[in-house]
Amino acid sequence: MELAVKRGRLGLEPADVVVLGQFEGEAALAGEAAELDKALSGLLSDVISEGEFRGKLLQVAMLPSRRAIPAKRVLLVGLGKRPEFALDRLRQAFGKAAKEVRDRGFRSLAAGLPGAEAGVLEPAAAAQAMTEGVLLGLYRLTRYKTAEAEELKEVEQFTIVAADEVAQRAAEQGSGRGRILAEAANFTRDLTVLPANEATPSYLARTAEELARSDGLTVTILDVPQMRELKMGALLGVAQGSQQPPRFIVLEHEGGRPRDRPIVLVGKGITFDTGGISLKPAERMEEMRGDKAGACAVLGTMRAVAALSLPVRVVGLAPATENMPGGTAQRPGDIVTSLSGLTIEVINTDAEGRLILADALGYAARYDPECVIDLATLTGACVIALGHEVTGLFGNDPELMDRLRRAGEVTGERVWPMPLFDEYDEQIKSDFADVKNVGGRPAGAITAAAFLKKFAKAYRWAHLDIAGTSWMDKPRAYLPKGATGVGVRLLCQFLEDWVRDRGR
Ligand code: BES
Ligand code: MN
Ligand code: ZN
């Protein structure tokens, strides 16, 4: 996809489709919209005043230009009510618009900087959000559709038209960042949906190695003997039922000052979760190939961090294994010793995510980190609590949690704080070991986090339960059915904000 930022007038732009964002219930057209309307002899004001297009969020109307302007069509896209407008609505509108352009067989679209003329949005932020919307919205996984591949229509060009040189320069910057972030999120989507017969732990490790080579990161892959050496008994316990050897992936970005303490990101990398001996029911088990979404988000974030050359030290950790039943699998009642020395009674082998994270969180302590953030498709209970709309946020540091919440607002990858009072620890007390890996039905997402908290004592820590947000049953404005790539844009925003505030 070619991205361009030009200086000029939208009405003179020779793209197939010119996209115009329009607020709900506003009949008066201003700026570029008024110019286009005039060139089209009042066509836009007619469809608006006649009530055909009201500007409701994500409403679209494709109008023929009848050769009155160079573009073949004008696409009106609703931005919703002006007071409710936010950056993510722009992202959504452009995701929807780009898909509309593609579905109708057009190959290029152009747009001005909506909101910029009204002073609502910075041109850089607007251009970034529009670019992300287009690239995220047009995403699809095509590699397994052998027959249809040739007939697929693709959009080839997105042009942002800026009114003056200052806006143009800002938009160029925003568009460049938007491309890096959206491409990293799409990389995470591809990797997350990849079936478990291909995406094994070794495959994830090889992908991390390729990433390191292409993007200039440092990579270390730990194998089973090294895990034994480190006494990663919790991770090895989960892995022992699988024919596929586990891998522990370490990616490092050496930005910033050499003596800075790093920010460590940890992602759950279960390449397939059968539940193990505590076997899951068959229905929708195929979605458990997405149980590596956290690890894939960490890989995608590291890729973006490197591409953006962020001046901060970032370490990405991804424990990767299958969770399989079988003759060598761990059993309910088994007791394992984690890297930190804490012993864990495995009551339910399907609560495997917290086990592999226990060792990864223990490993993170060796970096004396500034903070640690883990992402995990950890609990079905989180999906029950928050649905697919927001990520569950837990942690031991309110300031860190608030930073993540704010990054969620900007990126549209919203997160919401959940309580983690000490009383919940009662539910995971074991009769035989230091802790057990399940806490019963009540507050399932919280007791999972309470378990992780025991392994994150040495530093400031936040946990993101992405079980609901990493996978969609049906597509949204810029989210596909299946893997969403959640976490990549959120964490990059968090890191950029961190760098900015640290400089003060
Ligand atoms: N990977 C699952 C959680 C999950 C469920 C993610 C649905 C995405 C969609 C996790 O390993 C799991 O199985 N959790 C159990 C924990 C229980 C045994 C305490 C769960 O949520 O049922
Ligand atoms: Mn499980
Ligand atoms: Zn799992």
Side-chain angles (χ1 to χ4, degrees):
M1 164 84 101
E2 233 178 277
L3 298 175
V5 179
K6 287 189 193 164
R7 209 167 103 203
R9 307 304 301 166
L10 199 50
L12 301 175
E13 188 52 39
D16 285 349
V17 182
V18 155
V19 179
L20 211 53
Q22 183 66 21
F23 287 111
E24 183 173 347
E26 294 187 7
L29 296 172
E32 304 237 87
E35 275 176 39
L36 278 171
D37 191 43
K38 200 166 159 210
L40 298 170
S41 319
L43 177 63
L44 306 183
S45 36
D46 283 353
V47 286
I48 293 168
S49 68
E50 284 157 16
E52 184 186 334
F53 180 85
R54 306 170 54 86
K56 279 192 171 308
L57 184 60
L58 305 187
Q59 186 188 5
V60 286
M62 188 72 92
L63 309 170
S65 71
R66 317 275 320 262
R67 297 177 210 279
I69 55 171
K72 293 183 186 137
R73 299 283 187 278
V74 174
L75 177 65
L76 291 175
V77 56
L79 299 176
K81 296 204 176 80
R82 193 184 285 265
E84 291 162 22
F85 189 60
L87 211 47
D88 196 54
R89 291 202 158 182
L90 194 56
R91 201 177 280 116
Q92 290 178 33
F94 275 81
K96 178 76 191 268
K99 278 192 275 188
E100 196 71 18
V101 167
R102 180 176 67 193
D103 289 351
R104 290 169 187 259
F106 296 107
R107 294 186 178 276
S108 59
L109 66 155
L113 289 164
E117 79 277 359
V120 190
L121 293 176
E122 299 280 333
Q128 182 182 337
M130 290 158 66
T131 304
E132 287 170 2
V134 168
L135 295 178
L136 293 169
L138 292 176
Y139 168 86
R140 58 186 166 193
L141 183 72
T142 50
R143 70 185 260 195
Y144 293 104
K145 295 271 194 188
T146 56
E148 292 162 35
E150 300 216 332
E151 299 156 33
L152 283 177
K153 299 177 268 187
E154 293 294 352
V155 174
E156 285 153 10
Q157 172 125 26
F158 174 46
T159 306
I160 295 176
V161 182
D164 57 61
E165 204 183 317
V166 178
Q168 184 193 6
R169 251 191 259 127
E172 267 165 9
Q173 258 201 333
S175 158
R177 286 157 39 80
R179 178 200 278 273
I180 288 174
L181 290 162
E183 285 179 350
N186 286 342
F187 161 86
T188 292
R189 290 169 170 183
D190 273 345
L191 198 55
T192 305
V193 282
L194 204 64
N197 57 338
E198 232 181 294
T200 59
S202 307
Y203 180 95
L204 291 188
R206 280 199 300 277
T207 304
E209 284 170 336
E210 275 165 32
L211 208 60
R213 216 172 306 129
S214 62
D215 289 66
L217 296 156
T218 309
V219 67
T220 312
I221 308 293
L222 306 184
D223 59 12
V224 169
Q226 290 166 303
M227 290 175 208
R228 285 212 186 98
E229 184 78 20
L230 286 161
K231 300 191 158 51
M232 292 183 160
L235 171 55
L236 287 166
V238 174
Q240 77 188 33
S242 172
Q243 301 283 331
Q244 292 293 335
R247 292 286 182 261
F248 191 92
I249 300 166
V250 184
L251 278 170
E252 295 176 62
H253 168 72
E254 292 297 339
R257 300 162 291 208
R259 267 185 305 162
D260 283 352
R261 295 155 69 202
I263 293 175
V264 179
L265 311 174
V266 180
K268 170 178 172 181
I270 295 291
T271 58
F272 197 80
D273 184 10
T274 66
I277 295 298
S278 313
L279 195 63
K280 284 183 182 297
E283 201 182 334
R284 296 176 68 158
M285 204 204 274
E286 73 281 3
E287 291 181 6
M288 282 302 119
R289 69 185 184 280
D291 211 19
K292 58 187 179 300
C296 298
V298 167
L299 264 54
T301 303
M302 294 307 291
R303 169 179 153 149
V305 162
L308 292 167
S309 303
L310 281 190
V312 57
R313 278 186 73 200
V314 187
V315 177
L317 304 178
T321 177
E322 284 186 326
N323 185 24
M324 299 291 278
T328 61
Q330 79 178 341
R331 298 134 291 239
D334 284 6
I335 294 178
V336 295
T337 304
S338 68
L339 177 145
S340 70
L342 279 186
T343 57
I344 306 164
E345 185 184 11
V346 180
I347 299 291
N348 189 319
T349 64
D350 197 11
E352 83 298 339
R354 62 196 79 179
L355 296 172
I356 70 168
L357 290 174
D359 280 340
L361 291 171
Y363 189 86
R366 64 162 55 198
Y367 293 97
D368 182 26
E370 195 76 63
C371 64
V372 177
I373 303 167
D374 79 70
L375 299 98
T377 47
L378 203 63
T379 65
C382 191
V383 190
I384 302 298
L386 300 172
H388 297 276
E389 310 305 323
V390 283
T391 293
L393 169 65
F394 307 79
N396 61 13
D397 186 84
E399 210 250 338
L400 172 61
M401 289 169 71
D402 205 51
R403 285 184 163 276
L404 284 163
R405 197 191 51 73
R406 275 179 279 145
E409 290 301 317
V410 176
T411 55
E413 297 193 332
R414 287 179 297 180
V415 303
W416 203 255
M418 301 281 275
L420 202 47
F421 301 116
D422 289 342
E423 282 80 352
Y424 290 108
D425 293 353
E426 291 299 318
Q427 285 175 244
I428 49 170
K429 277 197 173 145
S430 163
D431 291 332
F432 305 104
D434 295 329
V435 63
K436 62 180 178 181
N437 78 331
V438 294
R441 298 255 298 164
I446 298 176
T447 53
F451 178 93
L452 297 181
K453 190 175 73 173
K454 298 200 177 295
F455 300 88
K457 283 195 176 137
Y459 41 69
R460 292 187 279 175
W461 158 77
H463 156 60
L464 298 163
D465 194 331
I466 56 170
T469 49
S470 63
W471 196 272
M472 291 292 162
D473 300 334
K474 42 181 188 291
R476 303 272 175 99
Y478 59 78
L479 298 179
K481 190 180 155 106
T484 62
V486 75
V488 174
R489 291 186 304 107
L490 173 77
L491 291 174
C492 287
Q493 185 68 44
F494 167 86
L495 291 166
E496 290 189 317
D497 292 347
W498 182 282
V499 168
R500 191 198 55 216
D501 295 346
R502 183 194 60 182
R504 286 208 190 123

